[in-house]
Amino acid sequence: MALLLVALAWLPALAAVFQFDDYRVIVGDPAARSLTVWADEFGTGLRPLLKLSYLLSWALGDGAPWAFAVFNLLLHALASALVWRLGERLFALAGVEAEQRAPAALIAALLFALHPLQTEAVSYLSGRSSGLSGLLALAAVAAYDRQLRGGARGWAPAFWLAAMLVKETAAVLPLALLAWDALARPDDPLRQRMARLWPYPLLLIAVVAWMAGSRYTGFFATSLETRAPLDNLLQQLPALVWLLRGALLLRAPNIDPALPVSGGVDAGALAAAALLIGLLASALAWRRWRWPAFCAAWALVFLLPTNSLLARLDLANDRQLYLPMAALAWTLGWALAWLIRRQPQAGRALAALLLATLATLTALRNLDYRSETALWAATLEQSPGKARVLSNHGVALWQSGHEAEAASAFRTALALDPAYLPARRNLRRLTGE
């Protein structure tokens, strides 16, 4: 029954089409379509393993979007299975009652699989960077757990290295491994943990050296030019609250949020900082079980690279929550399993209602990805005052033959932001104005 619910929620994703950045990083990038070009760019290009996965999808489907969608759905299914497997280990290591571990881990995996915010990493085809790097990061943690129980050492570093070749933000993974090490071996001294983790700094140095001779230098330079590190940190505080609201279903998914960029410390940033510090402190202070502290550390580690000092063009996007969502899923999974043990009828009813709600919301959100017009119309409802959203909606309308509506969208975008050049160029091409 649970598998049927997941299948129904994600079935509409098979109709997803290329959208927005997909044209730049997939359709318009020769390295994502030609093995020869990919090989020539391997030493200097960005995210080579991600592009290799695009190339595979392109070859299997002859450039059709469904091949990318199937690949992304498979990645998400595997990631959800690893959330299940790691959840069982997490609760066992933290001393959760044996009868509660399996149902808590299963519910957590279903929550992770069904949350509507995950659609941006799955149904948005170039969102694969988050889905594939997330899967490899989960695989690295599973391999490290196996290493701690006497398994081979090499798999975890290999998965981590692969994750970094998909998305550079995976560089923070050793911090999550350190947290897992502390959970699994709480009595070991720090020097023993460092002895187990010694390959990771060396690999990181090697990757950074490789990046220094590639286009990553321009990538990071653009980040530093977008916002200064301290300014960016202040801007990210309200953005983190926005992400948290989405995780708690207090807002709809949004591929292009209109988050304001303020000029410094304001009341919103201070309130956001107080809320986040309070949530983190409450998790760390819960000493009866060790898993809440681990979940807090997990969420913090994987939000760190995209919500800290290095700026992104967008303050926040739903796909940033792909890996942090595991922490919320494990927490809610434990809570629902605890309730089911004590109040079986009420607990099962609440779990079923929550999962059915998530599945419905995810299925409805997946319908937005069936066309560019549908996606940008939905985005416009969430971000009506953002010039880029209006301009992209105008492009979608233009491509679907609605030229008058498209011109109106471009004009409205320019009224909001006269300096937004894409809208001005599109309006000139469409009407000559």
Side-chain angles (χ1 to χ4, degrees):
M1 186 64 180
L3 290 178
L4 178 62
L5 191 66
V6 173
L8 291 174
W10 287 102
L11 185 63
L14 293 173
V17 299
F18 292 124
Q19 306 269 8
F20 194 42
D21 279 342
D22 297 342
Y23 290 104
R24 177 175 58 86
V25 301
I26 299 175
V27 179
D29 188 347
R33 295 181 281 110
S34 166
L35 184 60
T36 302
V37 176
W38 176 86
D40 290 341
E41 291 189 2
F42 181 81
T44 58
L46 297 173
R47 303 178 175 179
L49 191 55
L50 174 63
K51 290 185 179 180
L52 184 61
S53 77
Y54 290 153
L55 200 158
L56 178 61
S57 294
W58 190 276
L60 291 175
D62 196 23
W66 67 262
F68 291 84
V70 169
F71 196 105
N72 287 9
L73 287 168
L74 178 60
L75 295 176
H76 187 50
L78 293 173
S80 301
L82 281 173
V83 169
W84 185 359
R85 188 261 181 209
L86 288 172
E88 289 185 319
R89 286 290 296 155
L90 168 65
F91 296 130
L93 292 171
V96 173
E97 295 89 339
E99 299 83 358
Q100 192 173 325
R101 295 171 195 167
L106 175 59
I107 294 171
L110 292 172
L111 293 171
F112 181 87
L114 289 170
H115 200 290
L117 289 198
Q118 304 290 52
T119 54
E120 192 172 308
V122 181
S123 306
Y124 185 27
L125 302 180
S126 58
R128 180 182 299 181
S129 59
S130 297
L132 180 53
S133 65
L135 171 62
L136 291 167
L138 290 165
V141 177
Y144 189 74
D145 178 64
R146 188 173 181 82
Q147 175 189 326
L148 292 177
R149 290 184 286 158
R153 176 190 286 270
W155 283 107
F159 282 129
W160 177 53
L161 181 60
M164 283 196 291
L165 295 179
V166 171
K167 195 171 186 179
E168 57 288 336
T169 54
V172 299
L173 177 65
L175 297 176
L177 298 181
L178 181 61
W180 188 274
D181 197 297
L183 180 75
R185 302 279 188 87
D187 299 326
D188 284 2
L190 182 61
R191 60 181 179 79
Q192 288 189 19
R193 302 194 207 288
M194 294 299 100
R196 288 191 285 267
L197 291 166
W198 69 263
Y200 298 93
L202 297 180
L203 279 173
L204 184 59
I205 291 171
V207 171
V208 169
W210 169 71
M211 287 180 174
S214 70
R215 282 189 286 160
Y216 277 99
T217 53
F219 181 82
F220 290 118
T222 300
S223 174
L224 292 172
E225 291 169 1
T226 300
R227 284 180 294 276
L230 183 56
D231 287 342
N232 188 66
L233 183 62
L234 294 173
Q235 306 298 330
Q236 289 299 334
L237 293 172
L240 281 168
V241 172
W242 182 83
L243 288 171
L244 181 61
R245 286 176 54 223
L248 298 177
L249 301 181
L250 299 179
R251 64 166 178 83
N254 187 350
I255 199 170
D256 199 345
L259 297 176
V261 178
S262 63
V265 180
D266 56 19
L270 292 175
L275 173 63
L276 294 169
I277 290 172
L279 290 173
L280 182 62
S282 64
L284 294 176
W286 197 354
R287 297 186 180 277
R288 183 178 176 186
W289 297 288
R290 288 173 289 153
W291 64 263
F294 172 82
C295 287
W298 178 280
L300 181 64
V301 162
F302 288 114
L303 284 170
L304 185 64
T306 55
N307 292 88
S308 57
L309 299 178
L310 287 176
R312 306 166 67 250
L313 293 178
D314 294 320
L315 287 174
N317 295 109
D318 290 340
R319 61 184 177 275
Q320 292 171 254
L321 278 176
Y322 190 77
L323 266 180
M325 189 69 74
L328 177 64
W330 287 324
T331 301
L332 291 178
W334 174 88
L336 288 168
W338 178 87
L339 181 61
I340 289 170
R341 278 195 68 200
R342 284 151 183 79
Q343 298 290 334
Q345 281 190 314
R348 290 192 185 99
L350 181 59
L353 177 62
L354 178 57
L355 293 173
T357 300
L358 292 175
T360 302
L361 293 174
T362 295
L364 291 173
R365 179 55 173 169
N366 277 321
L367 292 175
D368 291 336
Y369 287 90
R370 71 191 185 276
S371 72
E372 293 180 89
T373 306
L375 180 64
W376 289 108
T379 307
L380 190 60
E381 291 181 6
Q382 300 298 318
S383 303
K386 190 169 185 178
R388 185 170 70 182
V389 173
L390 280 157
S391 181
N392 289 339
H393 187 224
V395 171
L397 289 168
W398 186 5
Q399 291 176 342
S400 63
H402 297 83
E403 295 185 357
E405 293 92 333
S408 176
F410 296 143
R411 293 188 187 101
T412 305
L414 289 170
L416 289 169
D417 184 0
Y420 190 66
L421 293 180
R424 188 167 300 282
R425 285 195 298 264
N426 289 329
L427 183 61
R428 185 177 298 117
R429 287 170 55 207
L430 176 59
T431 67
E433 295 180 22

